[in-house]
Amino acid sequence: CYEQALVIRRQDLGPRHPKVSDTLHNMGNLLEVMGELGRAASCYEEALEIRRELYGGEHAKVGATLANLSIVLAKRGNLDRALKCSEEALAIRKRALGDEHPQVGQTLSNLAFALDCMGDKE
């Protein structure tokens, strides 16, 4: 369904519309759960590019996509990039949402996951 929605939204709204980025982000979530990590990463990367263009680098939606991308990257073994994405997501979410927001806690958990993966690798 997401793939069909993406095609329709790109045709009707244009390739850089906020609803296109939302669909890509949500599709990344589903693909991650299904274990299709390469496709999930691609969806998150495209959503991130669009969101940065639309909202700038400090928006909570940018932080959300970075946070999700970091988990996929860690699962795929791209630990250095996962760590960078987690750190950037944390900084954005703290500024956009405040230090006590639940999404900041989620991002701290993502950062711990990436660090734990790095420890397992060594």
Side-chain angles (χ1 to χ4, degrees):
C1 289
Y2 278 125
E3 290 175 352
Q4 289 175 322
L6 185 60
V7 169
I8 291 167
R9 286 184 168 175
R10 281 182 170 150
Q11 288 173 349
D12 289 350
L13 304 172
R16 311 308 273 181
H17 193 275
K19 288 186 178 183
V20 171
S21 73
D22 292 346
T23 302
L24 285 162
H25 182 93
N26 293 337
M27 202 160 108
N29 292 340
L30 177 63
L31 290 166
E32 179 184 353
V33 170
M34 293 172 53
E36 295 186 39
L37 300 179
R39 290 182 62 206
S42 294
C43 287
Y44 287 140
E45 293 278 7
E46 188 175 351
L48 180 61
E49 182 183 323
I50 295 168
R51 286 178 167 187
R52 283 190 199 273
E53 181 181 305
L54 292 173
Y55 304 116
E58 296 298 315
H59 196 277
K61 285 192 174 200
V62 172
T65 302
L66 279 164
N68 290 2
L69 178 59
S70 72
I71 292 296
V72 170
L73 291 170
K75 288 178 178 178
R76 296 187 77 206
N78 190 344
L79 302 177
D80 289 334
R81 179 126 188 271
L83 185 60
K84 288 177 186 173
C85 286
S86 288
E87 290 170 340
E88 186 180 357
L90 180 61
I92 290 169
R93 282 180 156 180
K94 280 185 172 185
R95 286 190 294 270
L97 305 170
D99 290 346
E100 303 300 319
H101 195 278
Q103 289 181 7
V104 171
Q106 175 199 355
T107 308
L108 285 167
S109 179
N110 292 358
L111 183 57
F113 178 74
L115 290 169
D116 187 49
C117 289
M118 291 179 99
D120 289 345
K121 186 178 177 183
E122 295 178 358

